[in-house]
Amino acid sequence: EPMTMPKRVRGVSAGMAFMLMVACGSATRVERDQKQAEGPLRHFQLARMYYEQGKVQESLQELDRSFKLDNSLPQVHAYLGYVRLEQEQWAEAAKAYREAIKLNPYYTDARQHLAVCLQELGDIPGALEQLEQASRDKTYPFPEQIHFNRAMVYRHANQIEEALKELRRAVGLKPRYYRAHFEMAGLLTELRRNDEALLAFVAAEPGYTKDPE
């Protein structure tokens, strides 16, 4: 008859086995976290740090290093788009944002920034299409921003009435959207609808208490 392990010993061995499994699991997580810290996300964080310090070329170099390690992170492509957009390199920014959206079709912020790039490139229908796609994201917490950006595209295209409609929708969703009130006031002033413009300036005033304009 084969020998059986005493119950107490079996329990100790099982406990030791469990501890070994936990230790192995912890080691695996540590290794994974370390690889991640040393990998593309580390370069991404360095890129952000450099850009905030005004070191544009260093930021771009870190983003390039991140891409070489892993080209599938939409947030890294979106940040490249942001850097290019800030430098008014519209075509390069648009390319980066398109890549971010390709990797994550629900990247609503990237779509809005892509719309800005397309607007500056003169592609008004393309910009409006991106904002239409963005508006279908019912989980997006700031829908008023989509209306505001659509208004800016219409203003760029000199479609002032359409721009005013979108700004009214924006402040309808967020009454204290002071920038939208201010932009509305400016458009109404251009149209010489001064009574309406004055009301919009009054609504915008709390957000511009230190702005002499």
Side-chain angles (χ1 to χ4, degrees):
E1 182 179 347
M3 294 179 62
T4 58
M5 188 179 296
K7 185 175 182 181
R8 180 174 177 275
V9 176
R10 287 204 305 270
V12 171
S13 298
M16 290 178 64
F18 176 74
M19 291 174 65
L20 285 170
M21 288 172 62
V22 171
C24 291
S26 298
T28 302
R29 286 197 298 272
V30 169
E31 290 172 1
R32 185 174 63 246
D33 293 343
Q34 185 175 358
K35 287 180 180 179
Q36 191 176 62
E38 295 174 353
L41 292 180
R42 175 177 177 273
H43 292 293
F44 172 49
Q45 295 300 332
L46 286 172
R48 295 177 63 179
M49 181 189 72
Y50 280 129
Y51 192 75
E52 289 168 4
Q53 295 174 352
K55 300 177 181 178
V56 178
Q57 290 307 313
E58 289 86 345
S59 177
L60 291 172
Q61 288 170 2
E62 290 299 331
L63 289 173
D64 187 57
R65 292 185 181 109
S66 179
F67 290 134
K68 287 178 179 177
L69 292 171
D70 188 348
N71 201 36
S72 66
L73 301 173
Q75 69 269 36
V76 183
H77 288 279
Y79 196 76
L80 174 60
Y82 168 74
V83 173
R84 295 299 191 187
L85 184 149
E86 287 284 297
Q87 303 302 306
E88 297 187 358
Q89 299 172 348
W90 309 116
E92 293 88 345
K95 181 180 178 181
Y97 283 125
R98 287 189 188 280
E99 187 62 29
I101 294 166
K102 179 181 177 181
L103 292 166
N104 179 6
Y106 301 99
Y107 205 152
T108 300
D109 283 327
R111 286 192 184 278
Q112 293 196 79
H113 286 111
L114 174 57
V116 172
C117 298
L118 295 175
Q119 167 193 300
E120 295 297 333
L121 291 168
D123 185 1
I124 299 302
L128 292 173
E129 172 59 25
Q130 289 300 323
L131 292 172
E132 175 60 28
Q133 291 284 341
S135 69
R136 295 174 187 172
D137 181 1
K138 302 307 179 184
T139 66
Y140 189 63
F142 310 110
E144 70 278 359
Q145 291 182 0
I146 299 173
H147 289 292
F148 179 88
N149 288 330
R150 189 179 281 145
M152 295 302 97
V153 174
Y154 280 127
R155 184 186 69 176
H156 191 83
N158 204 33
Q159 299 181 39
I160 305 302
E161 289 298 335
E162 292 300 321
L164 286 171
K165 288 179 184 177
E166 293 298 330
L167 289 170
R168 290 193 181 98
R169 290 180 180 128
V171 299
L173 291 170
K174 184 180 178 181
R176 294 183 181 180
Y177 198 166
Y178 299 121
R179 187 182 174 192
H181 285 294
F182 184 78
E183 294 291 343
M184 191 186 307
L187 292 177
L188 290 167
T189 301
E190 291 179 18
L191 295 174
R192 298 184 183 278
R193 290 158 57 175
N194 294 333
D195 290 342
E196 294 176 73
L198 181 58
L199 292 175
F201 276 124
V202 169
E205 185 177 9
Y208 293 86
T209 56
K210 296 181 180 181
D211 187 338
E213 186 177 359

